[in-house]
Amino acid sequence: MPENQKIKTQNFKAQDEAKIEQQFLEGKKDPDLGVYSEMFSAKSGFEGQDGGVVTALLVKGFEDGIFDAAVVVRRGEGYSAEAVTAANASEVLAASGTKYLRANVTQKLQELISQGKKRIAVVCTPCEAKAARKILQTLKGECEITVIGLFCFEAFNKAKLKEQVAARLGINLDKVEKTQIRQGKFTAFVDGKEYSCKVKDLDCAAEKACLYCDDFASRFADVSVGSVGSKTGFSTVVVRSRVGGELVRNFNVAKAMVDKAEVCRLSKFKLERAKKSSATLNTPK
Ligand SMILES: Cc1cc2nc3c(=O)[nH]c(=O)nc-3n(C[C@H](O)[C@H](O)[C@H](O)COP(=O)(O)OP(=O)(O)OC[C@H]3O[C@@H](n4cnc5c(N)ncnc54)[C@H](O)[C@@H]3O)c2cc1C
């Protein structure tokens, strides 16, 4: 790409993101974390991937009447990720836990909007959180969308992950009960046993588009949630808007110290990787 074209593209992206921040977010702007007003570590009474915080936020949102439909990601057959609608707390509970795969959350969100739903929550990775904001910008206030963004370094391609897990851990991914990524380690739980390898060794199974994504902490969400920055069994929560503030008000959770520096470190690391990937793409062969 010619240099002047590259500068134009970067300027457009920066303007675009500044507009989203101005329109939807509230708080101070941190260079690594984005706009936020509050950050804490929490554990809810629900079973979840980490602190069960996303599940608790969704249940609370239904109880408080903040939304009446939510897009969540359920495991289908084998190890899979299917974006579905939850209309109540029990459907939210059935979808708890992380599926480290890409799910078409945006398409499900658009379906709910076309069905005339007016107050929707969406749980999504950073790329889909930005897409949800773009959709909101076109709706001009006809519909309220609460965006619960997950921290995300990368999502995997199912077929490639299955292949790598079989080769490296000697297990069938479809039979796995839970997967967990923590402190650079990928762990699969099956039949009461744990099988682990370095996440780095699974890089070849990551979705290619993730290499170009520069957002780790879901900078455009109302509330972002992840495991980095919290001790085991807790989730890190970043509140980024008035809507997010309303959702965490009187939130019945146990709180703990959060390691903001660790979230910033991962955010910078992902940004640098995206820059390197883009530079390689733009270098003439
Ligand atoms: C692809 C992916 C990569 C991630 N990478 C990291 C990381 O590198 N570092 C980090 O700190 N955290 C990462 N996370 C987030 C982390 O795994 C937990 O989801 C988060 O800490 C919330 O935990 P919880 O116990 O509060 O969630 P829970 O209460 O268990 O709820 C999890 C929610 O996530 C939804 N969900 C599950 N899979 C997906 C999916 N594929 N797409 C969209 N929504 C989904 C479920 O429907 C559920 O509502 C990642 C998540 C995903 C989906």
Side-chain angles (χ1 to χ4, degrees), residues 44 46-56 58 71-74 81 92 95-103 105 123-125 150-156 180-181 216 225-229 234-236 266:
S44 77
F46 294 103
E47 198 175 318
Q49 184 70 22
D50 297 304
V53 166
V54 173
T55 299
L58 291 169
V71 179
V72 292
V73 173
R74 204 173 52 190
V92 165
S96 75
T98 306
K99 297 89 196 168
Y100 291 95
L101 304 172
R102 206 186 214 175
V105 165
V123 184
C124 52
T125 50
L150 303 171
F151 292 180
C152 178
F153 192 69
E154 60 199 9
F156 293 108
Q180 173 86 61
I181 294 180
F216 172 72
V225 187
S227 62
V228 168
F234 279 70
S235 305
T236 299
L266 261 294

Side-chain angles (χ1 to χ4, degrees), residues 15-253:
Q15 280 167 16
D16 202 33
E17 295 186 351
K19 207 167 165 189
I20 295 178
E21 287 171 357
Q22 200 188 356
Q23 210 174 338
F24 302 106
L25 308 184
E26 220 173 74
K28 59 185 176 199
K29 183 161 179 179
D30 179 280
D32 301 315
L33 285 184
V35 176
Y36 79 101
S37 56
E38 206 184 331
M39 185 174 184
F40 55 90
S41 179
K43 182 183 182 60
S44 77
F46 294 103
E47 198 175 318
Q49 184 70 22
D50 297 304
V53 166
V54 173
T55 299
L57 287 173
L58 291 169
V59 170
K60 183 173 182 288
F62 274 112
E63 281 170 2
D64 292 354
I66 298 174
F67 35 78
D68 42 29
V71 179
V72 292
V73 173
R74 204 173 52 190
R75 188 167 158 174
E77 209 155 289
Y79 190 79
S80 57
E82 193 189 345
V84 294
T85 308
N88 52 48
S90 66
E91 287 172 0
V92 165
L93 296 183
S96 75
T98 306
K99 297 89 196 168
Y100 291 95
L101 304 172
R102 206 186 214 175
N104 202 338
V105 165
T106 306
Q107 189 185 7
K108 198 38 113 188
L109 175 62
Q110 276 170 324
E111 273 173 39
L112 288 186
I113 295 166
S114 15
Q115 285 163 17
K117 295 279 184 221
K118 297 285 180 230
R119 286 172 306 155
I120 308 167
V122 59
V123 184
C124 52
T125 50
C127 49
E128 305 254 6
K130 194 166 174 188
R133 291 303 186 199
K134 294 286 192 195
I135 293 172
L136 254 174
Q137 283 177 326
T138 64
L139 293 175
K140 314 230 180 292
E142 297 150 39
C143 176
E144 289 166 24
I145 301 175
T146 304
V147 183
I148 302 178
L150 303 171
F151 292 180
C152 178
F153 192 69
E154 60 199 9
F156 293 108
N157 170 282
K158 187 195 161 175
K160 289 185 186 163
L161 183 64
K162 193 170 155 78
E163 206 178 283
Q164 285 302 314
V165 162
R168 291 179 183 277
L169 306 178
I171 53 169
N172 179 352
L173 182 66
D174 288 329
K175 300 264 188 280
V176 158
E177 285 130 29
K178 184 180 174 178
T179 46
Q180 173 86 61
I181 294 180
R182 219 182 150 79
Q183 290 168 341
K185 204 166 85 172
F186 173 92
T187 307
F189 300 82
V190 56
D191 292 336
K193 290 194 194 126
E194 290 182 26
Y195 299 82
S196 300
C197 65
K198 287 184 184 160
V199 189
K200 210 171 176 314
D201 293 340
L202 300 175
D203 270 357
C204 55
E207 292 285 2
K208 286 285 165 277
C210 300
L211 293 175
Y212 304 92
C213 172
D214 63 8
D215 185 3
F216 172 72
S218 273
R219 292 197 309 265
F220 305 109
D222 290 298
V223 187
S224 307
V225 187
S227 62
V228 168
S230 285
K231 59 183 178 184
T232 304
F234 279 70
S235 305
T236 299
V237 184
V238 186
V239 182
R240 303 182 179 281
S241 70
R242 183 191 52 75
V243 175
E246 198 183 326
L247 198 55
V248 301
R249 194 177 308 135
N250 304 323
F251 194 31
N252 188 15
V253 285

